[in-house]
Amino acid sequence: MGNCCSDVGGRMAAVGGTAAITGNQIDAADMYLKSRDIHGILSQIELSFSATNLRDRDVFSKSDPMLVVYIKERDGAIIEVFRTEVVLNSLNPTWIKKYTIAYHFEVVQTLLFHVFDVDTQFLNIEVKMLKLEEQQSLGEASCALSEIVTKPNRSLTLDLVRRVESVSSTHSQHHGKLTVHAEECFSSRTTAEMMLSCLDLESKDLFSKCDPFLVISKLVESGISIPVCKTEILKNDHNPTWKPVFLNIQQVGSKDSPLVIECFNFNSNGKHDLIGKVQKSLADLEKIHSGREGENLFLPTLVGHDCENKILKSKLFVEKFSETIQHTFLDYLAGGFELNFMVAIDFTASNGNPRLPDSLHYIDPSGRQNAYQKAISEVGEVLQFYDTDKCFPAWGFGARPIDGPVSHCFNLNGSNNYCKVEGIRGIMMAYTSALFNVSLAGPTLFGHVINKAALIASQSLADEAQKYFVLLIITDGVVTDLQETKDALVKASDLPLSILIVGVGGADFKEMEILDADKGERLESSTGRVASRDIVQFVPFRDVQGGEVSIVQALLAELPTQFLTYMRSRDIKPRI
């Protein structure tokens, strides 16, 4: 797992960065957390391989097969990453060597497999030294890693084909099948759940109480502390009690591994003040909970040339400590859960006339995708593997259909009562068709499409279906029904639903970041109700265009965590 699964709730969202030692290093540490997939989900997957009915390329014996695995990079480059051993004299080999790969939900990881018959004269050579051009091909296959892990038994059987066939051949030859099986690697599913509190924190602000949050780091052999978890911020509170945090035993090393728990006072300029800290292991924290006595915080102080610890009156308490088995995102997939993709497209007049090249909706005859098409294809390419029927609800908003009033949620396919289209290609075709069958209008309202998606999610929940919904909204402007949108999002936060918003064009999207709880306080409705969890991820398209991180990576990085937060908060277990 490797992530702190605290629902970053409370009265403020999680801090935009954490640090191991000093407050002014916190913002930089957020990049570390993201690189370690602490904000998202990264699992190690072990792949094993077997084949059946391979071609027999040897004259006096059966083939001696070896499997080579390649990865297709984002730029299209093909990289060899693994070779099995050679299985002697077999047309139905089961290879012993396994290949371990890091699973990233937010990208399509394309794997290519090539089975070779190793010539007898090379059997005494190490496989890594074999020249593949000197071996005979038995067939190839390819798939995405997500195609494997979404199978109920995590096994996928692929047909082996030849890249080049004889011109005179009038029928396809039988090349056998390759079966790839995936197992999630973990040393421990055991997770410690802790509820932490502090008493009598010292104020760091002149005119108000402190705004405290905790950072938990593990100490490594070199003495460096590595941040692994952070709590929400609690405003104006000298005696805070934070929401529970979850630490995987594997994540911190062991129950006896030293941890540093630091309490910071939040500052909006990013220079957070260290209030105090303690150094304890999980085993120590469990004892603090059992003894119901707090542990005094301390501050390192410089005395002459020596550093001493100043003991503070402030104390850390462990209000709750328990160990549980935490199911992973892949456990839910193996148990039959699906991610159902939906899309809503902005057809307001500010996009420009679709027939003119300067329009955000312009369909380039050369095939070059506009920002709307690119967002649909990139996000859809990832999510389609997690939806079995690949029929996606698709809507438009902010336009006037032929002979009708302006609609803020109309079916993209033109139907009056059926909103689904088949596949990503179906969304693209419906989008192109809609551009020539509606009149762009306005204003930019999100509430209608969010409520429509929420209704579908609500109906699915009532039917006890194993589905989680993902709505992609693509827009060129700032939402004009901000409070209505907040009300819809707060209501939707109780449902199996996440919402991805892509801002295209040159508009100022600062107000849109209000909807993304990563950037500020948790959303509150007009009646004062606070969202139960963060379900929105907002990304301006221009911020990621041409960068190292694609639009889909920026959008989907948090989705597995949002999924798990929903499942765990409702104690929904995978059916495995």
Side-chain angles (χ1 to χ4, degrees):
M1 297 280 297
N3 68 311
C4 173
C5 297
S6 169
D7 177 13
V8 188
R11 283 152 275 176
M12 289 188 72
V15 187
T18 59
I21 298 179
T22 60
N24 60 9
Q25 294 173 319
I26 288 184
D27 295 326
D30 194 48
M31 290 306 296
Y32 169 83
L33 287 168
K34 290 181 178 178
S35 71
R36 298 287 296 177
D37 278 296
I38 290 169
H39 288 248
I41 297 295
L42 183 149
S43 295
Q44 294 293 323
I45 303 294
E46 184 181 77
L47 300 180
S48 55
F49 311 96
S50 63
T52 55
N53 299 321
L54 295 179
R55 298 179 67 203
D56 192 356
R57 300 297 298 268
D58 293 346
V59 178
F60 301 107
S61 64
K62 296 178 181 177
S63 296
D64 304 312
M66 173 185 72
L67 176 68
V68 181
V69 180
Y70 305 84
I71 287 181
K72 186 176 182 180
E73 297 284 322
R74 186 180 168 191
D75 61 1
I78 306 298
I79 309 297
E80 180 185 328
V81 293
F82 175 76
R83 296 184 183 188
T84 66
E85 76 280 13
V86 178
V87 176
L88 298 178
N89 203 29
S90 176
L91 301 182
N92 301 287
T94 296
W95 289 280
I96 302 300
K97 289 184 67 177
K98 320 291 187 198
Y99 172 53
T100 300
I101 181 173
Y103 164 71
H104 295 273
F105 166 79
E106 66 272 17
V107 295
V108 177
Q109 296 169 272
T110 302
L111 302 173
L112 293 86
F113 310 100
H114 199 153
V115 181
F116 292 93
D117 175 23
V118 178
D119 195 277
T120 305
Q121 62 178 312
F122 302 115
L123 291 178
N124 292 325
I125 300 176
E126 288 188 49
V127 292
K128 64 181 180 181
M129 303 301 294
L130 291 173
K131 295 181 179 180
L132 298 181
E133 63 271 16
E134 296 178 346
Q135 318 308 320
Q136 291 184 310
S137 173
L138 295 179
E140 304 173 54
S142 66
C143 70
L145 180 59
S146 48
E147 290 183 84
I148 306 171
V149 298
T150 51
K151 294 295 181 184
N153 59 359
R154 291 182 181 164
S155 290
L156 179 66
T157 299
L158 303 164
D159 289 320
L160 290 168
V161 298
R162 289 291 303 279
R163 182 179 301 177
V164 179
E165 291 290 350
S166 172
V167 176
S168 60
S169 176
T170 57
H171 63 280
S172 60
Q173 297 180 1
H174 182 76
H175 301 302
K177 295 180 181 293
L178 174 71
T179 298
V180 187
H181 179 72
E183 287 289 340
E184 190 172 5
C185 304
F186 51 85
S187 60
S188 173
R189 269 198 176 111
T190 304
T191 297
E193 177 183 354
M194 297 183 293
M195 182 179 288
L196 303 173
S197 67
C198 282
L199 189 65
D200 295 328
L201 291 179
E202 295 183 3
S203 179
K204 294 291 184 179
D205 297 326
L206 291 177
F207 304 108
S208 65
K209 297 179 180 179
C210 61
D211 302 328
F213 66 96
L214 298 178
V215 176
I216 302 176
S217 305
K218 66 178 179 180
L219 284 177
V220 295
E221 291 182 2
S222 62
I224 297 174
S225 55
I226 306 297
V228 293
C229 185
K230 57 185 177 181
T231 68
E232 76 276 19
I233 304 162
L234 299 181
K235 298 176 69 176
N236 297 319
D237 199 338
H238 283 302
N239 303 298
T241 298
W242 290 275
K243 288 192 174 185
V245 296
F246 299 83
L247 288 176
N248 186 275
I249 302 300
Q250 175 185 353
Q251 177 185 351
V252 299
S254 72
K255 285 190 68 173
D256 296 318
S257 299
L259 299 173
V260 176
I261 303 176
E262 297 166 296
C263 184
F264 289 95
N265 175 51
F266 175 82
N267 285 313
S268 58
N269 63 5
K271 296 181 179 180
H272 313 301
D273 306 306
L274 178 62
I275 299 173
K277 63 181 178 178
V278 299
Q279 181 173 320
K280 296 291 177 182
S281 66
L282 284 176
D284 294 331
L285 294 171
E286 186 175 21
K287 290 177 183 178
I288 293 174
H289 169 69
S290 301
R292 299 187 181 280
E293 292 187 4
E295 179 74 17
N296 287 89
L297 302 182
F298 67 84
L299 270 176
T301 58
L302 190 63
V303 180
H305 296 290
D306 298 322
C307 187
E308 296 182 359
N309 292 331
K310 176 185 176 183
I311 306 301
L312 308 176
K313 68 174 183 177
S314 308
K315 286 190 173 184
L316 175 78
F317 290 85
V318 183
E319 304 291 345
K320 176 182 179 181
F321 189 99
S322 62
E323 293 182 13
T324 57
I325 301 298
Q326 291 286 347
H327 293 289
T328 69
F329 178 64
L330 293 180
D331 286 336
Y332 286 92
L333 296 183
F337 267 92
E338 295 184 23
L339 300 180
N340 288 177
F341 181 44
M342 311 170 173
V343 65
I345 299 173
D346 184 337
F347 283 86
T348 55
S350 54
N351 283 280
N353 186 339
R355 292 168 176 80
L356 300 178
D358 61 350
S359 170
L360 293 170
H361 280 310
Y362 180 66
I363 305 299
D364 195 326
S366 71
R368 181 182 179 184
Q369 293 183 333
N370 64 36
Y372 284 91
Q373 292 172 310
K374 193 171 181 63
I376 293 168
S377 61
E378 287 197 9
V379 176
E381 184 183 32
V382 172
L383 293 181
Q384 64 179 335
F385 294 111
Y386 302 89
D387 190 324
T388 53
D389 68 4
K390 294 179 174 52
C391 288
F392 309 127
W395 303 289
F397 60 93
R400 181 180 291 105
I402 296 175
D403 300 326
V406 174
S407 173
H408 301 291
C409 184
F410 58 89
N411 295 334
L412 204 62
N413 59 12
S415 170
N416 291 325
N417 48 29
Y418 190 72
C419 65
K420 291 186 177 181
V421 297
E422 292 187 12
I424 305 305
R425 178 177 172 80
I427 298 177
M428 292 296 202
M429 293 174 63
Y431 163 61
T432 302
S433 176
L435 286 174
F436 297 96
N437 288 288
V438 301
S439 299
L440 275 58
T444 305
L445 307 182
F446 283 1
H448 294 72
V449 293
I450 292 174
N451 286 330
K452 187 74 171 182
L455 178 61
I456 294 175
S458 179
Q459 292 172 340
S460 175
L461 183 62
D463 294 338
E464 297 185 351
Q466 294 195 97
K467 295 180 182 294
Y468 189 92
F469 296 86
V470 183
L471 170 64
L472 171 65
I473 300 176
I474 316 171
T475 181
D476 83 313
V478 177
V479 61
T480 54
D481 63 337
L482 184 59
Q483 189 55 59
E484 291 81 358
T485 297
K486 286 183 179 180
D487 290 346
L489 290 173
V490 170
K491 184 177 179 181
S493 68
D494 292 328
L495 298 170
L497 174 67
S498 286
I499 298 174
L500 315 174
I501 304 175
V502 177
V504 299
D508 183 354
F509 292 115
K510 286 184 179 179
E511 287 189 16
M512 297 286 282
E513 295 181 355
I514 297 172
L515 305 179
D516 189 334
D518 286 346
K519 308 297 189 297
E521 295 190 9
R522 186 65 61 86
L523 290 179
E524 186 174 322
S525 72
S526 55
T527 61
R529 183 185 171 199
V530 177
S532 60
R533 63 192 181 95
D534 171 24
I535 65 170
V536 175
Q537 182 70 13
F538 170 72
V539 174
F541 189 86
R542 60 176 177 260
D543 287 359
V544 293
Q545 192 172 22
E548 292 184 5
V549 178
S550 70
I551 183 72
V552 68
Q553 288 174 282
L555 277 173
L556 297 181
E558 291 186 16
L559 186 56
T561 298
Q562 291 180 0
F563 175 94
L564 286 174
T565 299
Y566 175 81
M567 296 300 166
R568 290 170 180 168
S569 65
R570 286 149 184 80
D571 198 29
I572 300 173
K573 302 289 195 302
R575 300 173 185 174
I576 55 175

